[in-house]
Amino acid sequence: EAGKEGEPLVIGRARVSARTATEAGVSAVLQWRTSASGSRIAAMSFRSPGAHALRLGVLVDSLPASAQLRTYVQGQRASGVETSGGQVLQLLQRNRDAGDHSDAGRIWWTPDTEGDEQTLEIELPAGTPTDGVRIALPRVMHAFVEPGRLFREGRKAIGGSGRCNIDATCRDELPTQRDAVAAYAFVDRDGWDWANCTGTLVNDKANSRIPYFLSAGHCVYDQTRASSITFYWFFRSPRCNAGERSP
């Protein structure tokens, strides 16, 4: 929904998952099985009817760094996204280092998947105790517009900007600058809103090649919000002045 002037576009809101809101609830849902290699695997599936996309908010108390977490849509496991337990722990540590010790700072938000269902699968290496997984999943983020597609649902269409704005697809002499621009989605308002903004990669004077990303201060202004960002690159029209987004 379109926010007030100077506010990010809200594309979704969190729904409470009462059954998995506690560690005990998650433990009751997870059914561990042993794979042919000896690893232990369990999964949970969540559905929010009518959603264009989903993200799951995983509240982490304990998680083995060696764990592998996969997010996918049922029937599409091979195309799912894998995140290591170590990556999750590192991300949440950044939130703590920045001073956020709240529950919102302890939530890892899964990558988004299209549609109204997402499965979270956890795999532990052989010999790793399952009781080291102590997590809750209190919220499911429900997108009511498609993430990454700005200017929809009441916003201007691509190409509907002012006369001073030029379609970047028409400027082949600026491919680097054009490719540096991205739309992005993040979790806002202490884990209750799914919001959308834009920004661009920038270099520093030392040419360090560190991928700094420049955006508006009213969008992401703390580490916890930054930790939830998903980027959508190449957000542009397929041809000069087409007035539509590339697939």
Side-chain angles (χ1 to χ4, degrees), residues 120-137:
L120 172 63
E121 179 183 284
I122 305 170
E123 182 170 5
L124 302 176
T128 304
T130 60
D131 59 9
V133 177
R134 296 197 300 276
I135 61 174
L137 208 152

Side-chain angles (χ1 to χ4, degrees), residues 119-164:
T119 294
L120 172 63
E121 179 183 284
I122 305 170
E123 182 170 5
L124 302 176
T128 304
T130 60
D131 59 9
V133 177
R134 296 197 300 276
I135 61 174
L137 208 152
R139 300 175 196 170
V140 175
M141 196 64 76
H142 173 117
F144 41 74
V145 296
E146 190 174 349
R149 290 183 181 268
L150 299 177
F151 313 108
R152 292 183 57 181
E153 305 296 333
R155 291 288 175 135
K156 291 181 179 180
I158 290 178
S161 302
R163 295 178 182 177
C164 61

Side-chain angles (χ1 to χ4, degrees), residues 114-213:
E114 292 185 4
D116 65 0
E117 185 272 337
Q118 184 178 120
T119 294
L120 172 63
E121 179 183 284
I122 305 170
E123 182 170 5
L124 302 176
T128 304
T130 60
D131 59 9
V133 177
R134 296 197 300 276
I135 61 174
L137 208 152
R139 300 175 196 170
V140 175
M141 196 64 76
H142 173 117
F144 41 74
V145 296
E146 190 174 349
R149 290 183 181 268
L150 299 177
F151 313 108
R152 292 183 57 181
E153 305 296 333
R155 291 288 175 135
K156 291 181 179 180
I158 290 178
S161 302
R163 295 178 182 177
C164 61
N165 300 117
I166 300 171
D167 186 342
T169 308
C170 304
R171 302 296 296 270
D172 289 336
E173 71 273 23
L174 300 172
T176 301
Q177 293 88 337
R178 184 174 61 201
D179 290 349
V181 175
Y184 68 92
F186 65 100
V187 177
D188 197 12
R189 211 168 61 84
D190 294 329
W192 290 103
D193 283 352
W194 193 351
N196 215 159
C197 282
T198 59
T200 182
L201 288 169
V202 293
N203 200 359
D204 56 20
K205 186 176 181 181
N207 196 29
S208 65
R209 313 293 289 183
I210 296 172
Y212 292 113
F213 192 81

